Amino acid sequence: MKKTVAVLIIIIFSLQYSFAQLKKIIVAKDGSGDYTTVQAALDAVPSGNVNPVLIFIKKGKYKEVVVVDARKNFITLTGEDKDSTILSYDNHAGTKLPDGDTLNTWTCASFFVFGNNFHAQNLTFENNAGFTAGQAVAVRIEGNRVSFKNCRIVGFQDVLFLSGSGVKQYFEDCYIEGTTDFIFGAATAVFKNCTIHSKKNSHVTAASTNSIIPFGFVFFNCKLTADSNVNKVSLGRPWSPAASVTYINCWLGKHIIAGGWNNWKNPANEATARFAEFNSTGPGANVAARFAWSKQLTVDEVKKFSLKNILGEWDIYNK
């Protein structure tokens, strides 16, 4: 009996050690990799994983709902090319499922991240439900210390749902496109050198920052652009009264309204929303015309907006 137990222990340890040494899982639609779907590759990562796992995705359009489980951490998803490696689905709020359930904002995403220490790069994340589909999330993130680099996140309404209250997320060199409230939620998130593109006269952000959380969405050196027929877009409106959104050294296109922001048809939000800018440039940077209840930061005030202050001890460059 003791010998049998010892053998089982050795086998289990060997399997765990073997997986710990695995550096790369390859996903390819044509069958040339380890798996043909992204979800199958994620399912192969053991629950409770503590070892870095790289999943490399070859070019192709992968139509599937993908979930990074909360028990699966330290995963990196890398695409072969961000423009031609596309993770896509077309769910939207109101969709009826075969089991009788109806999808809502929280459940209609194409890509869900519940795990911590997740990183994505060189990928497109898409919800292609369409312009009139209503709420149709491309990416919903609950995990902490989640980063995206050189990615495209595209759709229409409610594209990027940063739903975890106060958890930390980071986006660098990304292209994010949508119509209404297409960056929204309660998380603390930094956007650096990103292009934020509006496809409709509406609102860029809808933050729901908790009043005890010091930072909500912070945009550094980003560029706000729009379709040629779009000419009336606000920088954000408060999904919760204490919403926090700050633009620092950003270039704003002419589609940004003179007042800058929107109170979501509730003047009481003007006393509590934390909306601010520093050194905005471009045709949409009309500082003199901004609503008095928004803020232009001083040089001393903007010093508080360091990556360390916003993201804490998480070193985004050494994940």
Side-chain angles (χ1 to χ4, degrees):
M1 179 67 179
K2 290 182 178 179
K3 184 177 180 181
T4 302
V5 171
V7 170
L8 286 173
I9 291 172
I10 291 170
I11 291 172
I12 291 170
F13 177 80
S14 298
L15 289 172
Q16 290 176 334
Y17 179 81
S18 175
F19 201 96
Q21 299 304 303
L22 182 62
K23 298 299 182 183
K24 182 186 290 187
I25 300 172
I26 297 175
V27 179
K29 288 180 69 67
D30 62 6
S32 62
D34 301 301
Y35 300 95
T36 58
T37 68
V38 178
Q39 190 61 58
L42 288 166
D43 291 344
V45 179
S47 295
N49 173 64
V50 295
N51 300 297
V53 176
L54 171 62
I55 298 175
F56 180 79
I57 307 170
K58 291 188 176 182
K59 293 179 183 179
K61 189 166 187 176
Y62 298 80
K63 185 176 181 181
E64 53 179 308
V65 174
V66 178
V67 180
V68 180
D69 192 280
R71 298 164 295 178
K72 301 187 178 186
N73 305 315
F74 304 102
I75 293 173
T76 293
L77 247 57
T78 298
E80 185 174 0
D81 174 85
K82 78 173 190 299
D83 295 313
S84 52
T85 311
I86 304 167
L87 312 186
S88 178
Y89 212 74
D90 57 359
N91 278 337
H92 58 88
T95 298
K96 299 286 186 182
L97 299 179
D99 63 3
D101 286 346
T102 301
L103 295 179
N104 56 37
T105 310
W106 297 81
T107 58
C108 72
S110 302
F111 192 91
F112 296 84
V113 183
F114 297 107
N116 297 329
N117 299 290
F118 172 85
H119 177 65
Q121 58 188 19
N122 306 336
L123 287 162
T124 288
F125 298 86
E126 174 186 73
N127 188 313
N128 63 353
F131 191 86
T132 61
Q135 297 170 318
V137 177
V139 177
R140 177 186 162 200
I141 305 173
E142 283 275 349
N144 196 22
R145 296 179 299 279
V146 171
S147 59
F148 286 66
K149 186 170 183 179
N150 193 39
C151 288
R152 298 175 69 251
I153 304 170
V154 298
F156 298 93
Q157 183 175 342
D158 292 357
V159 172
L160 179 56
F161 189 5
L162 309 180
S163 57
S165 179
V167 297
K168 307 298 175 67
Q169 290 139 22
Y170 180 79
F171 300 82
E172 184 175 339
D173 297 328
C174 290
Y175 175 88
I176 304 168
E177 173 185 283
T179 56
T180 298
D181 303 335
F182 58 97
I183 302 173
F184 70 114
T188 294
V190 168
F191 301 83
K192 183 179 178 182
N193 301 333
C194 294
T195 296
I196 313 298
H197 188 80
S198 293
K199 296 182 67 63
K200 179 182 178 180
N201 286 333
S202 196
H203 315 277
V204 173
T205 65
S208 54
T209 325
N210 190 296
S211 61
I212 64 171
I213 303 298
F215 302 98
F217 303 158
V218 184
F219 297 83
F220 289 103
N221 305 310
C222 291
K223 187 174 183 179
L224 274 63
T225 61
D227 285 358
S228 59
N229 63 331
V230 174
N231 57 18
K232 193 176 181 181
V233 174
S234 84
L235 296 169
R237 58 179 180 169
W239 190 14
S240 70
S244 174
V245 181
T246 306
Y247 293 85
I248 297 172
N249 298 324
C250 292
W251 185 94
L252 312 180
K254 63 182 180 181
H255 61 294
I256 299 300
I257 59 174
W261 307 86
N262 182 283
N263 66 10
W264 212 319
K265 299 180 180 179
N266 183 1
N269 286 331
E270 297 176 8
T272 53
R274 294 171 286 169
F275 290 161
E277 297 171 76
F278 177 81
N279 193 36
S280 293
T281 58
N286 194 344
V287 173
R290 289 295 191 255
F291 292 126
W293 51 272
S294 67
K295 188 170 186 177
Q296 296 294 320
L297 299 174
T298 66
V299 171
D300 286 337
E301 288 171 331
V302 83
K303 290 177 182 177
K304 299 176 183 178
F305 287 80
S306 67
L307 289 182
K308 185 174 182 180
N309 283 347
I310 300 167
L311 299 178
E313 295 302 318
W314 173 33
D315 182 356
I316 56 172
Y317 298 108
N318 185 22
K319 304 170 189 65

